[in-house]
Amino acid sequence: MMTIASSTNAFLLLLSCFLAISLSVSGRPASFLQDFRVTWSESHIRQIDGGRAIQLVLDQNSGCGFASKSKYLFGRVSMKIKLIPGDSAGTVTAFYMNSDTDTVRDELDFEFLGNRSGQPYTVQTNIYAHGKGDREQRVNLWFDPAADFHTYTIMWNHHHIVFYVDDVPIRVYKNNEARNIPYPKMQPMGVYSTLWEADDWATRGGLEKIDWSKAPFLAYYKDFDIEGCPVPGPANCATNSGNWWEGTAYQGLNAMEARRYRWVRMNHVIYDYCTDKSRYPVTPPECIAGV
């Protein structure tokens, strides 16, 4: 028979476990300013819907950017973004994670490359591991990302990194450290986003220039969702195999995701550094390893 004392002890144990989990895993903020800060041109980032959404502005005076207040080691980061409509050539809307270290940088990039009206929007992904990047892949999106919000997600655990557009994986980078291939796992990364002008390369390799008569260029963000191990934070969080993103269901693509991934690779990839012999006469080892 459970006594009052034993019942109280059980409740306190349950409460302490709940608090430990709450401290180790960060979740969706109630508003933009709860988990993020403006890093570039505060006048060009406007909060809407009580701070639950924001508008990024690019004009001839400035672009803009924001970053998470904390860094994270492993987890999942996602945002809903509505990209610049109409003629957005020469613009780049970026959503990425970065270790913010000078020499040995880790970085996971989504870069949305503007287009001339009626042309497909291209998303470029890139991965830096232990200071080495130049792993670009480009995918033409199969919908108009300026017509409505879509969810863009980075999943990062000990097994792989997956870039998702809505529920569709568009890129997978596996942990092949056993084959001496670098994998980011030691440095926490912040979450960043910027809207800026890059018409020297962004659209058709720089052939299409930005048309400032179409400014201001506007992108919208909402539903900021970060679930990961904050740094500084509990020392054992990043190595805790009990974190949901380390679970069996997230150690590889499921059957539906694998089918969607093959569909993207077959129909929508327009550039892959792995097959660019002009840049890489010798195929990079991670490509041979089936990453």
Side-chain angles (χ1 to χ4, degrees):
M1 181 176 180
M2 181 175 286
T3 65
I4 293 177
S6 61
S7 177
T8 301
N9 289 337
F11 171 77
L12 291 174
L13 178 61
L14 181 63
L15 179 62
S16 66
C17 291
F18 172 77
L19 290 173
I21 293 172
S22 299
L23 289 171
S24 66
V25 179
S26 180
R28 176 174 297 176
S31 68
F32 169 73
L33 288 179
Q34 182 175 331
D35 270 15
F36 294 91
R37 58 187 173 86
V38 176
T39 55
W40 173 26
S41 191
E42 190 165 0
S43 64
H44 284 58
I45 296 183
R46 301 165 183 166
Q47 294 188 62
I48 52 181
D49 192 21
R52 287 183 288 273
I54 57 171
Q55 178 193 69
L56 272 62
V57 180
L58 168 64
D59 58 27
Q60 284 183 284
N61 295 315
S62 182
C64 56
F66 65 88
S68 59
K69 294 178 179 178
S70 298
K71 290 185 177 181
Y72 302 87
L73 190 55
F74 301 112
R76 184 185 68 184
V77 178
S78 69
M79 296 181 188
K80 288 186 178 178
I81 306 173
K82 184 162 68 172
L83 295 173
I84 300 166
D87 187 346
S88 57
T91 69
V92 175
T93 307
F95 159 43
Y96 59 102
M97 301 185 72
N98 190 316
S99 61
D100 197 23
T101 43
D102 292 333
T103 53
V104 185
R105 175 171 46 144
D106 291 333
E107 185 171 314
L108 311 174
D109 294 339
F110 269 117
E111 292 179 310
F112 303 94
L113 311 182
N115 65 350
R116 286 290 177 223
S117 300
Q119 298 175 356
Y121 236 108
T122 299
V123 57
Q124 174 172 283
T125 60
N126 199 359
I127 295 170
Y128 284 78
H130 301 186
K132 173 68 171 65
D134 300 324
R135 296 184 174 94
E136 300 93 344
Q137 294 183 1
R138 292 185 179 185
V139 171
N140 276 348
L141 294 175
W142 50 94
F143 55 87
D144 181 358
D148 203 352
F149 285 93
H150 291 266
T151 304
Y152 303 94
T153 302
I154 299 171
M155 168 67 79
W156 173 34
N157 60 31
H158 283 82
H159 304 276
H160 61 186
I161 296 159
V162 186
F163 293 80
Y164 289 91
V165 175
D166 293 323
D167 294 323
V168 179
I170 65 167
R171 182 168 188 177
V172 178
Y173 184 88
K174 296 178 183 177
N175 184 345
N176 275 304
E177 285 187 308
R179 303 184 186 187
N180 295 317
I181 295 170
Y183 187 82
K185 71 172 189 179
M186 302 303 295
Q187 300 187 107
M189 291 192 258
V191 182
Y192 298 84
S193 186
T194 53
L195 172 58
W196 50 295
E197 175 265 317
D199 71 0
D200 57 333
W201 67 272
T203 307
R204 295 184 59 214
L207 294 177
E208 303 280 3
K209 301 299 183 182
I210 196 166
D211 182 355
W212 288 114
S213 71
K214 301 295 194 302
F217 301 99
L218 308 176
Y220 295 85
Y221 290 66
K222 68 177 183 178
D223 292 358
F224 313 97
D225 189 1
I226 303 175
E227 298 180 69
C229 293
V231 178
N236 63 344
C237 179
T239 57
N240 182 2
S241 59
N243 290 327
W244 70 261
W245 53 85
E246 300 288 356
T248 303
Y250 303 97
Q251 294 178 12
L253 300 184
N254 62 38
M256 176 63 75
E257 289 176 331
R259 285 195 295 271
R260 291 172 172 171
Y261 182 57
R262 286 194 297 270
W263 174 77
V264 170
R265 306 304 295 181
M266 290 177 62
N267 297 288
H268 295 281
V269 173
I270 61 170
Y271 176 80
D272 185 349
Y273 78 105
C274 286
T275 58
D276 189 342
K277 295 300 182 183
S278 64
R279 289 178 65 194
Y280 297 101
V282 178
T283 303
E286 64 268 24
C287 302
I288 298 173
V291 177

